[in-house]
Amino acid sequence: MTERRVRVYDDKSELATAVAARFLKRLGEILDQQDEAHVVLTGGTMGEAVLAAVGSAADRDKIDWSRVVFWWGDERYLAAGDPERNETQSRRALLDSLDLEPRQIKAFPALGEHESIEAAADAYAAELAAAASAGERHPRFDITFLGVGGDGHIASLFPDHEAVRDTEHVVLPETDSPKPPPARLTLTLPVINASDRVWLVMAGADKAGALGLALADANPHDVPVAGVAGVKRTVFFVDSEAAAEVPENLLVRERFWTAAHEIQS
C-alpha cells in the first residue's frame, strides 16, 4: 500500500503557504525529469488558498508554466464563469496570472455546452484519453490535490453513493449531491489513485473525524477519503484543528517547510 503521511501546521494560513512552497519545489523537480507535468486541482476554501499562496510565492517564476497542464478532480455543473465553479476559483487565485495557453487548462464542461450531463462526462473522459499515452484512458497525473468534506467525501464522490464504488469509468456525472448544487462531474476513485502523488489539504475541526477515519482504514464506501492511495505518496496536509483525532505517532509537525527539510511527498 502507498505510504501515507500527515503533516501538521499551526493554522490555515501557515498550511496554505507551506503546501504552496512544497508544490513549487516538487513541480520544479518533476519538470527537471520530464517534459511536461499534469496537475489535478481542487476547489473549496483551502484549494483556492493554496493556489493564491503559489501565486504570491517568491519561487513562482522559477517554474516553466508552459510545460504544466491543469485538470480538475471534479466540478459543479454550472454555467461557465459561475463563481462557484472550481475552475473559476482556480483561475481567480492563480491560473489567470500565469499566461497559460488554452490547451493547458483542461476544465470540465460547463452547463449548456453538451446536451446532457452524461454527454459532458463522456466529453471530459474523451479529453483525458486524448492526452494519455497509447493504450491508456487518462494521462499520468504527477500531483493531484484533493479537498475533503466533513463527511469524508473527496472530489464529488460521496459516502454511500454509487459513484464511489465505480471501477469502470473515468468520469461520472453526479446528479444527487448532498451538497448544492446537486449536479456535478467527477473523476472516479481508480483514476485519482492512479496519480503519482495525492495531496489532501484539510483545515478545521469539522475535518478531524474524517481524517481519523481515513487513517483508521474505514470502508471507502462509507468514508471515501479512506480509499485514497496515490501510486508513490499520499500526504495529508492539515492544520492543528483537523489533526485533533490523529494518533501522535502518525503526525509530522512542521512549523514551516524550507528547502532544508527532507522532501519525499
Side-chain angles (χ1 to χ4, degrees), residues 151-162:
D151 60 356
H153 83 265
I154 51 167
S156 286
L157 302 173
F158 295 97
D160 220 19
H161 280 223
E162 285 302 315

Side-chain angles (χ1 to χ4, degrees), residues 28-53:
E29 292 174 350
I30 290 168
L31 291 173
D32 284 343
Q33 299 167 5
Q34 58 196 54
D35 292 337
E36 192 171 66
H38 290 264
V39 175
V40 178
L41 300 178
T42 186
T45 301
M46 288 311 303
E48 190 169 1
V50 169
L51 292 184

Side-chain angles (χ1 to χ4, degrees), residues 154-253:
I154 51 167
S156 286
L157 302 173
F158 295 97
D160 220 19
H161 280 223
E162 285 302 315
V164 77
R165 299 179 173 86
D166 191 287
T167 59
E168 179 183 351
H169 296 89
V170 172
V171 181
L172 283 176
E174 169 59 68
T175 59
D176 190 26
S177 165
K179 293 182 60 178
R184 296 159 177 253
L185 295 161
T186 186
L187 301 183
T188 57
L189 187 56
V191 176
I192 290 170
N193 285 345
S195 307
D196 277 356
R197 304 162 190 84
V198 180
W199 290 5
L200 302 102
V201 184
M202 307 171 65
D206 61 319
K207 307 298 176 65
L211 178 57
L213 288 169
L215 296 173
D217 295 323
N219 187 330
H221 298 166
D222 301 323
V223 186
V225 65
V228 175
V231 174
K232 294 182 177 178
R233 296 283 186 274
T234 306
V235 186
F236 295 85
F237 297 95
V238 305
D239 71 352
S240 57
E241 291 185 342
E245 297 184 20
V246 179
E248 187 67 28
N249 67 312
L250 294 179
L251 301 178
V252 178
R253 296 189 179 275

Side-chain angles (χ1 to χ4, degrees), residues 50-64:
V50 169
L51 292 184
V54 170
S56 61
D59 288 344
R60 187 192 91 162
D61 293 334
K62 293 182 180 179
I63 299 296
D64 182 356

Side-chain angles (χ1 to χ4, degrees), residues 139-156:
R140 179 179 58 79
F141 300 123
D142 295 286
I143 299 175
T144 290
F145 285 100
L146 290 176
V148 182
D151 60 356
H153 83 265
I154 51 167
S156 286

